[in-house]
Amino acid sequence: MAVPELWAGTDAGKAEHHCVVIDAEGKRRLSRRVANDETVLLELIADVLSLSEEQPVTWAIDLNAGGAALMIALLTDNGQQVLYIPGRTVHHASGSYRGDGKSDAKDAFIIADQARMRRDIQAMHHGDDIAVDLRIFTSRRLDLAADRTRTINRMRAQLLGYFPALERAFDYSTSKASLVLLTGYQTPAELRRTGRNRLAGWLKNRKVRNYRLVAATAIEAAEAQHTVVPGEKLAAAVVARLAKTVVALDEEIAETDALIEGRFRDHPHAEVILSMPGIGAVLGAEFIAHTGGDISVFGTPYRLAGVAGLAPVLKDSGRISGNMRRPRRYCRRLLRVFYMSAQVAARSCPVSKAFYERKRAEKKTHKQAVIALARRRLNVLWALLRDGRLFESSPPPRAASLG
């Protein structure tokens, strides 16, 4: 009698995982807690494979990175199929299983059972080495950009508390000169004592562009306030430190961008992706990182659009029909790639601009028009990558177009 196919569900954690194996009838064949250690995990894989007696085993896990990375790598190296079932899916599914309690063993069973019953879960695909490197680089860049935004917001809030005129004088998120200024001068009295000419010279020595205008603007803000707010000295020291942090973050972001571009250009699809208006090295790298560098794994552009959140889903109820909504589960980083590039292309690419304006003429909002353009550009990029050709603003007959 042949052993039925098995499904192994794993509730992953930082230090330990819990694995439950079930058969085609949903009966538990193994339940084990294991350490997140290579030797122990290899023993688990060997025991599960021995249970299957060379029959197929489908593995499912609720994390696709972090603490689950080692187990996924071991399974992949051993030629096993691995499905990713997000934690939110497990949470929603748990209500249909017996018992109100929660445990790692129960979650692992639910993961295995969902993998057994559902046919809409795609196998995990980590892509080539370049895609893996780009995922690390782009994730680091995203963290740096978020840190930069938080630091600037804290700095502005601190500056507003004792020197509001200087806080509103510059856009600190885009003006590098204003950040350099704050590393040396943070109070009205300091700026007035220094004077416009000496301040301009100080800024010039630090290679600040438009140093005269920056100096004049800062002195004007200083002349507007002669009152010393309590706590000014300490607050000024905090502002100076935060400004230096932002400058350091800018330097690290620039270094990361250079690393991203260098690695991205090593990818065989880089030239095709960069030919699309609005997509530069960073957005192109994010596309490679979150598609694995191989669009064929998605099967069709419609599937890729669904993963990117650009394919609406029906949300009908009762007498309401034809109600389309964005799916709840999609890759926000992929959506960002297509949305941001579409915004740029709507201004710089004649074909994209014409499409955008046509949607606006159809009474679409700006956001709706950009999303429609992003969806159309996804089809075009798919065709270019499939055919291995570059984007042309005036495509040849019968070729994909934005119009």
Side-chain angles (χ1 to χ4, degrees):
M1 181 177 176
V3 177
E5 185 177 359
L6 300 181
W7 288 262
T10 302
D11 180 51
K14 293 180 180 179
E16 295 180 319
H17 308 319
H18 199 108
C19 179
V20 170
V21 180
I22 62 174
D23 58 24
E25 297 179 354
K27 181 181 178 181
R28 295 183 190 231
R29 301 291 301 277
L30 180 147
S31 180
R32 182 185 301 174
R33 180 180 292 276
V34 294
N36 190 11
D37 176 80
E38 180 175 327
T39 303
V40 178
L41 292 176
L42 285 173
E43 290 176 358
L44 171 68
I45 294 171
D47 289 346
V48 173
L49 293 179
S50 66
L51 269 180
S52 73
E53 296 183 2
E54 305 304 324
Q55 295 298 312
V57 176
T58 299
W59 298 78
I61 197 162
D62 62 344
L63 292 175
N64 60 2
L70 177 58
M71 184 167 188
I72 293 169
L74 292 173
L75 289 170
T76 304
D77 290 346
N78 282 273
Q80 299 299 299
Q81 176 179 252
V82 186
L83 306 181
Y84 168 52
I85 301 181
R88 186 164 67 174
T89 300
V90 178
H91 172 72
H92 288 307
S94 64
S96 61
Y97 288 81
R98 181 182 301 174
D100 295 330
K102 180 189 182 303
S103 68
D104 293 343
K106 179 181 178 180
D107 287 346
F109 175 82
I110 294 172
I111 293 168
D113 202 38
Q114 289 292 299
R116 178 178 68 92
M117 295 187 298
R118 296 179 60 163
R119 296 295 178 267
D120 60 339
I121 302 173
Q122 191 171 9
M124 294 182 67
H125 175 74
H126 283 277
D128 53 37
D129 290 341
I130 296 177
V132 173
D133 290 348
L134 290 177
R135 180 184 284 265
I136 295 171
F137 279 140
T138 55
S139 295
R140 175 57 181 161
R141 191 191 190 282
L142 187 67
D143 289 341
L144 290 171
D147 290 343
R148 182 183 190 274
T149 300
R150 285 192 292 268
T151 305
I152 288 176
N153 289 340
R154 295 189 190 106
M155 183 186 72
R156 296 191 67 164
Q158 196 74 66
L159 188 60
L160 180 64
Y162 74 93
F163 196 174
L166 189 60
E167 188 276 333
R168 63 175 176 264
F170 299 102
D171 182 356
Y172 296 97
S173 62
T174 59
S175 173
K176 180 180 178 180
S178 62
L179 295 171
V180 174
L181 171 71
L182 288 180
T183 62
Y185 299 92
Q186 306 87 31
T187 65
E190 285 179 326
L191 289 169
R192 286 195 300 270
R193 283 196 302 269
T194 303
R196 181 179 304 181
N197 292 335
R198 286 178 57 197
L199 181 60
W202 185 87
L203 292 170
K204 181 181 179 181
N205 291 336
R206 283 153 183 79
K207 299 180 181 180
V208 170
R209 298 174 61 183
N210 299 321
Y211 55 89
R212 289 192 178 88
L213 178 60
V214 174
T217 303
I219 295 301
E220 182 181 353
E223 293 293 348
Q225 179 178 330
H226 291 264
T227 301
V228 177
V229 176
E232 178 187 272
K233 184 176 180 180
L234 180 58
V238 172
V239 166
R241 176 163 294 188
L242 290 173
K244 292 175 182 177
T245 300
V246 177
V247 171
L249 285 170
D250 284 340
E251 293 174 355
E252 189 170 355
I253 289 173
E255 292 172 359
T256 304
D257 285 347
L259 292 172
I260 288 173
E261 181 171 2
R263 193 62 173 134
F264 170 64
R265 289 186 181 278
D266 290 337
H267 199 276
H269 294 330
E271 186 178 3
V272 175
I273 294 171
L274 289 175
S275 72
M276 280 287 289
I279 300 184
V282 173
L283 288 181
E286 289 199 19
F287 175 79
I288 293 295
H290 295 281
T291 59
D294 181 10
I295 61 170
S296 65
V297 300
F298 296 96
T300 68
Y302 309 104
R303 171 62 180 165
L304 176 59
V307 173
L310 291 172
V313 296
L314 278 173
K315 195 174 181 63
D316 292 348
S317 178
R319 297 181 180 178
I320 300 175
S321 62
N323 190 19
M324 307 297 288
R325 299 287 180 89
R326 180 181 297 169
R328 289 187 175 182
R329 290 189 297 135
Y330 59 92
C331 178
R332 283 160 174 77
R333 300 284 293 277
L334 270 180
L335 176 62
R336 178 180 178 273
V337 169
F338 288 105
Y339 189 87
M340 296 294 290
S341 65
Q343 281 193 309
V344 174
R347 298 191 301 267
S348 60
C349 173
V351 182
S352 297
K353 184 177 182 180
F355 181 90
Y356 170 82
E357 290 177 347
R358 186 164 75 245
K359 291 299 176 183
R360 292 289 280 159
E362 295 172 2
K363 308 301 181 183
K364 302 291 186 183
T365 65
H366 167 72
K367 185 176 181 179
Q368 289 172 331
V370 172
I371 289 176
L373 176 59
R375 176 67 180 87
R376 184 61 61 90
R377 282 165 53 84
L378 183 148
N379 283 352
V380 174
L381 182 57
W382 178 282
L384 295 178
L385 291 172
R386 179 196 63 203
D387 301 338
R389 58 187 176 85
L390 304 182
F391 177 86
E392 298 176 8
S393 58
S394 299
R398 299 182 183 179
S401 68
L402 289 175

